[in-house]
Amino acid sequence: MTKKEKVDFTIQTLKELYPRIPIPLDHKDPYTLLIAVLMSAQSTDVRVNKITPLLFERADNPYRMVQLSVEEIREIIKPVGLSPMKSKGIHGLSKILIEKHNGEVPQSFEDLEELPAVGHKTASVVMSQAFGVPAFPVDTHIHRLMYRWGFSNGKNVTQTEKDAKRLFPRELWNDLHLQIIWYGREYSPARGWDLDKDIITKTIGRKTVINEYLKK
């Protein structure tokens, strides 16, 4: 198969498996999405979805959030991990949203990435899921699969994102990044991986990855 045929096969398979794409993090608007994504760093979506209702019950907009202290926020979000950094970020960015953006989440990568505790990946998720702007946020699943499929060299997420944007049509980015995440969780996990169930890697995967698997 040529590289293009491999890409087409991947897109087609993901479309068939995930015609309707569930959004991993529960939220009701750009602000609650931003907070949920920030909380998901080095945590699981399942855990975040358990904790965000408790936080949003107390404060689901920046005006109410700044009325809580950093300590109060930290106490609520402790189970998701990295709570000292995340609680400072949540409080700090809420303050900036009020002071600089009329309490609204800005609709540009630059403004989002200027907010405390908001990196490029978080900004990409918000731009894509809240505002429909084409973006390709790379998480551990996408990073792993792009390497397994021979679409990227796996050196770092920045390179993986560049490769994904180069290979996949722009109008599919917002769906594809989610489809790949779900596929990675269900068919091609890091642990307990069964190649027989992983139709995409089995069909187009990197030879060295497949040989390594078969050796084990």
Side-chain angles (χ1 to χ4, degrees), residues 10-20 172 176 179:
T10 302
I11 292 170
Q12 194 49 42
T13 306
L14 290 168
K15 266 187 188 162
E16 285 168 15
L17 284 171
Y18 305 103
R20 286 199 191 85
L172 298 182
L176 262 179
Q179 287 165 324

Side-chain angles (χ1 to χ4, degrees), residues 14 23 35 68 75 81 97 116 121 128 139 156 174 201 207 214:
L14 290 168
I23 299 285
I35 301 303
L68 298 178
E75 230 10 78
L97 292 182
K121 183 196 155 213
S128 143
D139 76 340
N156 55 58
N174 288 354
T201 311
K207 293 278 181 288
L214 296 174

Side-chain angles (χ1 to χ4, degrees), residues 24-201:
L25 290 165
D26 300 338
H27 64 283
K28 60 173 187 164
D29 57 19
Y31 179 74
T32 50
L33 175 65
L34 173 61
I35 301 303
V37 179
L38 186 158
M39 281 168 58
S40 72
Q42 290 179 41
S43 188
T44 65
D45 294 343
V46 172
R47 190 173 291 158
V48 173
N49 286 338
K50 279 183 183 156
I51 301 303
T52 45
L54 307 175
L55 178 64
F56 297 151
E57 200 183 328
R58 298 279 307 275
D60 61 357
N61 63 63
Y63 297 97
R64 286 177 64 188
M65 195 66 80
V66 294
Q67 288 169 5
L68 298 178
S69 67
V70 173
E71 285 65 39
E72 285 174 301
I73 297 170
R74 186 184 169 182
E75 230 10 78
I76 298 168
I77 70 168
K78 228 178 212 166
V80 301
L82 303 179
S83 60
M85 182 200 80
K86 290 175 183 177
S87 53
K88 272 190 197 139
I90 290 169
H91 196 275
L93 73 79
S94 300
K95 201 162 174 271
I96 292 170
L97 292 182
I98 294 166
E99 288 167 0
K100 276 184 74 176
H101 303 286
N102 298 319
E104 298 290 328
V105 175
Q107 297 190 30
S108 84
F109 284 97
E110 296 72 28
D111 287 339
L112 283 167
E113 287 178 43
E114 275 177 9
L115 298 170
V118 176
H120 179 65
K121 183 196 155 213
T122 298
S124 297
V125 173
V126 173
M127 290 298 283
S128 143
Q129 290 174 23
F131 304 125
V133 174
F136 213 105
V138 172
D139 76 340
T140 53
H141 299 288
I142 293 174
H143 189 53
R144 177 177 69 252
L145 295 191
M146 288 287 289
Y147 180 77
R148 279 184 180 171
W149 297 342
F151 291 161
S152 192
N153 61 22
K155 286 211 171 84
N156 55 58
V157 290
T158 309
Q159 187 56 50
T160 299
E161 184 183 336
K162 272 189 194 146
D163 292 333
K165 286 177 165 178
R166 191 171 43 81
L167 286 171
F168 298 121
R170 187 180 161 87
E171 67 275 11
L172 298 182
W173 291 354
N174 288 354
D175 283 352
L176 262 179
H177 88 264
L178 287 170
Q179 287 165 324
I180 296 173
I181 290 170
W182 288 112
Y183 185 88
R185 288 177 182 178
E186 293 184 58
Y187 299 98
S188 195
R191 294 192 195 91
W193 176 35
D194 180 351
L195 184 62
D196 284 332
K197 290 182 183 161
D198 184 350
I199 178 86
I200 297 178
T201 311

